[in-house]
Amino acid sequence: MKIAHQSVNAPQVTANNTNTQPASGAPEEMRDALNKVAKQQVQNVSEADQQVLNSANLHDMEISSDTVYEPERFVKVSQTLYFGELPSLFRDMQSHYQNFMAELSQSAPDLAKEHWGFSIDEHGQFVVSGSISDKQKTYLSDKLNSNEDMLKLAQQVPGVLMKGLAYDRGADGKANAWGKYDVNNENLKDILDFRAVLDDSYSARGDIAQFKNNFDVLKFVESVAGQLRSNAEAKFSY
C-alpha cells in the first residue's frame, strides 16, 4: 500500500521540540511510528506471520503533508483511526456482514448482486442507498437493522470516527490528513458506505493476526480514505 496525499494524506512525525519545520528524517520517523503502532495491534504474531506484516509496504509511504505531529498526538490518531478503534469495529462487523450477504444470496440472489450500499444515520439505524427501488431499500434496511450484533457495532462508528478526526485537527482545528474532512452525525450516511468498506477490506485469509476475521486493516485504510476524499468536504484543511 502506498499512502499518498490523494489517499491517507499521512502527516509527518517529529520529536517534541520547538522547531516547527519538518526534520530531514521525518519520513523515516513516520514510517517507524506507523510500523510500531501497527505491530502493537497484532498479538502473538509468529515469525512467519511477522514477515507478512513487514511486507505490507508500510515502508513505501509517500510523505506529502507539511503537517508536523508530536509523537503522542500521532499515536492517538493512529490508534483511533488507522490501526485501533475504528478498524476494530469494522473487523468485528466483517463476519456478521459476510453471514448477512450469504443469507441474502440464498433468499434474494438478484438483490445481493445489485449495486447498493448501507451506512448508519443520525438516529443510529442502518440506511440503504443505491440504484435500487424504494421497496428493495426498505427490505434491506429492515433485514440489516434486525441484525442486532452488527447494528450495535455500527452505532459506535460515528463517535469513534469523529473522536479520531478531532485528534487529527489538534488545537488549531486544522489538518492535512483525515481530520480535514467535515464528517458529523448527520452527513456520515452520505459519506461512508459501510458495505464498500467491508467488501474492500475483506480477505480470504483469516489464519494470522493481520487478517483476523478475514479483515485486512491496510485495505480498510485505503477504502475509508478514498471515500472521505470523494464524498466529504475538506472544510478543516490548512
Side-chain angles (χ1 to χ4, degrees):
M1 180 185 71
K2 178 174 285 188
I3 304 180
H5 70 279
Q6 67 268 31
S7 55
V8 174
N9 287 331
Q12 297 174 351
V13 180
T14 188
N16 284 329
N17 55 46
T18 58
N19 182 7
T20 59
Q21 296 300 316
S24 60
E28 289 74 16
E29 291 174 10
M30 182 190 170
R31 286 192 287 267
D32 291 343
L34 259 179
N35 277 297
K36 180 178 179 180
V37 173
K39 291 173 184 177
Q40 286 174 344
Q41 304 304 316
V42 181
Q43 301 297 322
N44 301 320
V45 181
S46 68
E47 182 177 352
D49 294 345
Q50 190 66 57
Q51 293 177 358
V52 175
L53 182 61
N54 288 338
S55 69
N57 293 327
L58 282 176
H59 299 284
D60 296 332
M61 297 190 70
E62 182 176 311
I63 308 301
S64 59
S65 169
D66 292 329
T67 300
V68 179
Y69 276 11
E70 64 276 13
E72 293 82 0
R73 178 181 166 199
F74 176 78
V75 169
K76 287 173 69 175
V77 174
S78 298
Q79 291 183 338
T80 304
L81 296 179
Y82 307 142
F83 298 109
E85 295 178 67
L86 189 63
S88 291
L89 288 172
F90 279 91
R91 183 188 295 276
D92 290 343
M93 274 190 274
Q94 186 68 272
S95 61
H96 298 295
Y97 168 69
Q98 295 301 328
N99 290 338
F100 173 86
M101 291 303 299
E103 293 174 5
L104 187 65
S105 295
Q106 294 294 321
S107 60
D110 291 338
L111 184 55
K113 298 175 183 177
E114 290 283 353
H115 295 289
W116 54 268
F118 67 93
S119 190
I120 199 82
D121 68 11
E122 60 269 34
H123 306 295
Q125 295 293 299
F126 282 130
V127 289
V128 176
S129 59
S131 55
I132 57 176
S133 69
D134 289 342
K135 183 177 180 180
Q136 289 173 313
K137 289 178 182 178
T138 299
Y139 173 78
L140 285 170
S141 61
D142 286 346
K143 288 185 69 68
L144 285 164
N145 283 301
S146 68
N147 190 323
E148 295 183 2
D149 290 333
M150 186 163 69
L151 181 61
K152 288 178 181 178
L153 292 166
Q155 288 171 339
Q156 300 175 57
V157 168
V160 170
L161 174 58
M162 281 168 248
K163 177 178 68 174
L165 298 181
Y167 286 153
D168 195 31
R169 289 171 196 147
D172 62 0
K174 300 288 185 179
N176 277 340
W178 289 13
K180 71 182 179 182
Y181 295 108
D182 180 22
V183 184
N184 54 57
N185 285 320
E186 288 70 34
N187 67 15
L188 176 63
K189 62 183 180 294
D190 301 315
I191 294 173
L192 194 62
D193 179 352
F194 286 30
R195 185 187 185 191
V197 174
L198 291 164
D199 282 343
D200 291 345
S201 60
Y202 177 77
S203 172
R205 298 189 63 174
D207 56 334
I208 64 173
Q210 185 188 356
F211 302 110
K212 180 182 176 183
N213 292 359
N214 302 108
F215 181 87
D216 186 333
V217 70
L218 302 177
K219 294 295 184 182
F220 161 83
V221 171
E222 291 181 341
S223 181
V224 175
Q227 292 196 50
L228 289 173
R229 185 179 67 252
S230 298
N231 303 325
E233 178 188 1
K235 183 177 180 180
F236 305 103
S237 60
Y238 284 99

